[in-house]
Amino acid sequence: MKPAFYVTTPIYYVNDVPHIGHAYTTLAADVVARYKRLKGFDVFFLTGTDEHGQKVEKAANAAGETPLELADRVMKRFQALWEKLEISHTDFIRTTQERHKNGVAALFQRVLDKGDIYLGEYEDWYCTPCETFWTETQLIDFKCPDCNRPTEKLKEESYFFRMSKYQDQLLAHIDANPDFIQPKSRRNEILSFVKEGLRDLSVSRTTFQWGIPVPGNEKHVVYVWFDALANYITALGYPDESGNFATYWPADVHLIGKDILRFHAVYWPTFLMAAELPIPKRVFAHGWWTVEGQKMSKSLQNVVEPNMLVDKYGVDAVRYFLLREVPFGLDGDFSHQALIHRINSDLANDLGNLLNRSTAMLGKYFAGVLPDPSEETALDATYREKTSSMVVQVDGLLEDLAFSKALQSIWEVISAGNKYIDETAPWVLAKDPAQKERLATVMYYMLESQRIVYFLLSAFMPKTAEKGLCYLGWTETPDDQGLVWGGLKPGTVIAKAEALFPRIEEKGE
Ligand code: MSP
């Protein structure tokens, strides 16, 4: 049986349309999912939409729609974008689905039965856009410390979750599992937050309707974060703990942005502790994208629309750029110029050119039929070993979600390929019939190294990898066994590759 692997994205609010920030998390999760499948794992990859809460209710009112109409409309935009970006998710959960609503009610009931949810009264400062309550001391000039928008004082009857009770257990868990919260800097932030003391958390609302009713007290709806976080288990069939839940839970990794780390690294694990369910193995918080140096916002009208990017530059260029440009975990800046530069230099020049020139040479010197390699020289051995050690390196780097470094490591082999050709100078060898065997070895090495490169690239740029492999006469789906040297069979017919990435004029936009 294949080992199971479960990766998730956040579920996206439907009051906003998808932008590159959303695309980024989902792409990262897709690379993880594709790579794990390549390595022989049975992958469950979940994404979806977060459709309840006051924010969605307000957006729907403003648009003259019901919340569900709004959700139906915007959810489709997310789904269409994921298709366009070649996202290979296993399931798409919507929090308005029955399976989710049942699961949330069951989870709430379970914690309630345990005595860890109780009815009380709430009075505090509420930030509607963030759906978060703040104490007066946390406010900055009576504004939300996260988004700097005005807050309002709310008093309401509320159910509370005894989060304070789980403070020590959570600290012990974070201590015992150094990889639970990543990157490390974020882990330290969470540690100091928890050490300052956890308050009980309000987990129901009576001030609006658009949500999942609290079991047994329909005046209340379940707090949107309790509702949303539960998606990671309701999609697996919870409260049924057999089937997918048994196979995939706990999640191997929740991929999220840094702004929602506290919900995932404090609230979620303590809810699960109360419900006596296993804690996810890892939560990784990536950084935020700015655009041409500025915060992305509707009011600045600088929101980068992924559909437009894909139409303009192609899906794989966008996939490559977002994961290559910025180390995962750090903030980054998006600019068209940087994207165009990456396309021209990394994709057109380095990657595309290598395939193009090497397949052209095979056509010219061996009529496109891959010859048998003969004796290996020190130069060949170095190139072969570099290719094989890249496979090991990339494995370790992807384990750490270091996408950019993994791509760098692949690109070192691509550059080594271009250098190998320059050093072995096949055009000189071709002039001397006595060097035919030497020329054959050079041809084999430069093409076999690229086969392995495209195997790894299938996680990052599925279409490009498929094209590259097709030129190399490889028609099977890349798999783990194929990551070792020697897969290309002599006698294979290899076609001359067209440009994989045409160069783009560098004149800004
Ligand atoms: N609905 C909640 C998540 C619930 S998960 C149980 C939510 N949704 S969101 O649509 O507002 O944001 C989803 C993700 O997009 C977050 O991980 C957030 O970090 C990410 N991003 C939003 N803007 C971003 C950038 N400008 N850059 C990078 N990621 C950003 O929060």
Side-chain angles (χ1 to χ4, degrees):
M1 216 173 62
K2 288 177 169 185
F5 189 89
Y6 183 27
V7 55
T8 67
T9 73
I11 47 173
Y12 302 101
Y13 283 131
V14 287
N15 59 320
D16 201 1
V17 295
H19 57 60
I20 52 163
H22 307 128
Y24 185 51
T25 327
T26 310
L27 276 176
D30 188 57
V31 172
V32 171
R34 286 178 183 272
Y35 182 70
K36 285 289 174 184
R37 284 192 204 110
L38 172 75
K39 296 289 288 181
F41 285 76
D42 165 17
V43 174
F44 197 99
F45 168 16
L46 179 69
T47 190
T49 39
D50 191 353
E51 305 186 356
H52 289 132
Q54 198 166 10
K55 248 197 309 199
V56 174
E57 195 178 72
K58 281 192 174 165
N61 284 342
E65 292 171 300
T66 65
L68 194 58
E69 280 165 354
L70 172 89
D72 282 345
R73 185 166 55 78
V74 178
M75 175 281 292
K76 285 196 193 108
R77 294 189 58 167
F78 278 99
Q79 285 190 332
L81 178 63
W82 301 154
E83 202 171 309
K84 195 158 178 165
L85 285 170
E86 308 241 338
I87 302 301
S88 62
H89 50 286
T90 318
D91 198 353
F92 187 103
I93 187 148
R94 302 181 60 184
T95 55
T96 49
Q97 288 168 334
E98 286 308 313
R99 58 170 175 163
H100 177 74
K101 294 194 271 187
N102 293 338
V104 169
L107 185 67
F108 198 97
Q109 187 70 54
R110 180 149 161 181
V111 183
L112 193 72
D113 290 345
K114 205 173 162 207
D116 283 342
I117 287 180
Y118 60 92
L119 192 59
E121 197 171 63
Y122 204 92
E123 185 170 23
D124 238 329
W125 297 87
Y126 193 64
C127 172
T128 306
C130 296
E131 309 269 19
T132 308
F133 270 103
W134 300 102
T135 59
E136 200 156 313
T137 51
Q138 287 172 316
L139 299 180
I140 300 169
D141 289 337
F142 286 91
K143 295 206 175 113
C144 170
D146 268 0
C147 74
N148 198 33
R149 279 178 280 207
T151 52
E152 43 183 341
K153 195 153 199 185
L154 288 187
K155 185 173 186 173
E156 52 176 291
E157 184 188 85
S158 173
Y159 284 91
F160 284 87
F161 168 60
R162 272 185 224 287
M163 197 157 71
S164 56
K165 180 176 158 189
Y166 292 96
Q167 175 171 335
D168 292 341
Q169 199 179 329
L170 180 62
L171 282 174
H173 184 83
I174 299 175
D175 249 3
N177 297 276
D179 291 338
F180 171 48
I181 304 169
Q182 289 182 332
K184 218 177 167 164
S185 55
R186 303 265 163 230
R187 176 177 187 262
N188 294 337
E189 272 172 32
I190 292 294
L191 270 174
S192 38
F193 174 78
V194 180
K195 281 181 187 156
E196 269 171 34
L198 293 184
R199 295 194 305 156
D200 287 356
L201 181 73
S202 162
V203 285
S204 77
R205 299 285 181 268
T206 50
T207 47
F208 65 94
Q209 292 297 309
W210 182 236
I212 300 173
V214 164
N217 188 352
E218 309 236 323
K219 213 167 69 185
H220 290 253
V221 295
V222 174
Y223 171 47
V224 69
W225 274 100
F226 189 98
D227 167 345
L229 288 161
N231 90 88
Y232 301 128
I233 57 174
T234 60
L236 298 179
Y238 181 85
D240 176 0
E241 293 182 30
S242 62
N244 278 344
F245 185 91
T247 310
Y248 299 106
W249 191 256
D252 290 274
V253 59
H254 289 320
L255 291 180
I256 55 165
K258 62 180 184 181
D259 55 317
I260 56 174
L261 180 60
R262 190 181 300 167
F263 301 103
H264 284 81
V266 180
Y267 295 10
W268 182 223
T270 53
F271 296 163
L272 289 165
M273 283 169 183
E276 294 169 20
L277 294 170
I279 312 297
K281 292 180 204 157
R282 187 147 63 130
V283 176
F284 193 108
H286 65 67
W288 266 46
W289 286 90
T290 49
V291 173
E292 316 271 353
Q294 279 185 311
K295 197 173 170 205
M296 201 167 22
S297 85
K298 272 189 204 157
S299 52
L300 290 173
Q301 297 195 321
N302 66 346
V303 174
V304 179
E305 217 278 293
N307 281 292
M308 176 275 289
L309 285 186
V310 172
D311 292 341
K312 200 162 169 182
Y313 302 108
V315 56
D316 281 348
V318 175
R319 289 179 63 111
Y320 174 76
F321 174 78
L322 289 177
L323 291 170
R324 171 65 183 84
E325 190 68 4
V326 180
F328 205 57
L330 300 185
D331 292 338
D333 186 49
F334 176 89
S335 78
H336 286 272
Q337 219 184 342
L339 171 53
I340 292 171
H341 182 69
R342 287 269 171 220
I343 295 176
N344 287 344
S345 95
D346 301 7
L347 301 179
N349 267 4
D350 300 341
L351 179 72
N353 207 15
L354 177 61
L355 186 68
N356 189 262
R357 67 199 284 227
S358 52
T359 53
M361 281 188 249
L362 188 78
K364 194 159 163 200
Y365 307 138
F366 290 91
V369 181
L370 189 69
D372 267 308
S374 64
E375 211 174 311
E376 183 184 72
T377 66
L379 197 70
D380 308 333
T382 309
Y383 184 34
R384 176 177 52 74
E385 280 156 15
K386 196 171 175 67
T387 307
S388 301
S389 60
M390 161 195 70
V391 172
V392 180
Q393 251 174 39
V394 167
D395 193 57
L397 289 166
L398 287 183
E399 190 53 48
D400 293 342
L401 304 176
F403 303 104
S404 179
K405 279 197 189 141
L407 285 168
Q408 274 174 54
S409 158
I410 298 173
W411 253 255
E412 276 167 26
V413 169
I414 295 167
S415 301
N418 278 316
K419 194 160 155 245
Y420 177 77
I421 296 181
D422 295 342
E423 284 175 357
T424 51
W427 48 93
V428 177
L429 299 174
K431 287 191 188 131
D432 179 359
Q435 295 283 1
K436 190 84 182 172
E437 283 195 352
R438 176 76 200 123
L439 183 61
T441 307
V442 169
M443 293 291 118
Y444 187 89
Y445 274 58
M446 71 186 186
L447 293 161
E448 172 61 357
S449 172
Q450 287 180 78
R451 180 190 64 79
I452 295 178
V453 160
Y454 285 102
F455 261 51
L456 292 177
L457 285 183
S458 67
F460 292 90
M461 301 193 283
K463 259 202 185 119
T464 302
E466 200 185 305
K467 259 198 219 162
L469 286 170
C470 180
Y471 283 125
L472 293 172
W474 191 274
T475 47
E476 289 152 49
T477 313
D479 64 10
D480 198 22
Q481 283 85 52
L483 287 171
V484 291
W485 186 269
L488 269 185
K489 295 282 159 280
T492 304
V493 176
I494 291 177
K496 178 180 179 300
E498 299 302 320
L500 289 177
F501 293 91
R503 286 183 66 83
I504 299 178
E505 275 307 307
E506 290 204 48
K507 51 173 188 282
E509 290 226 5

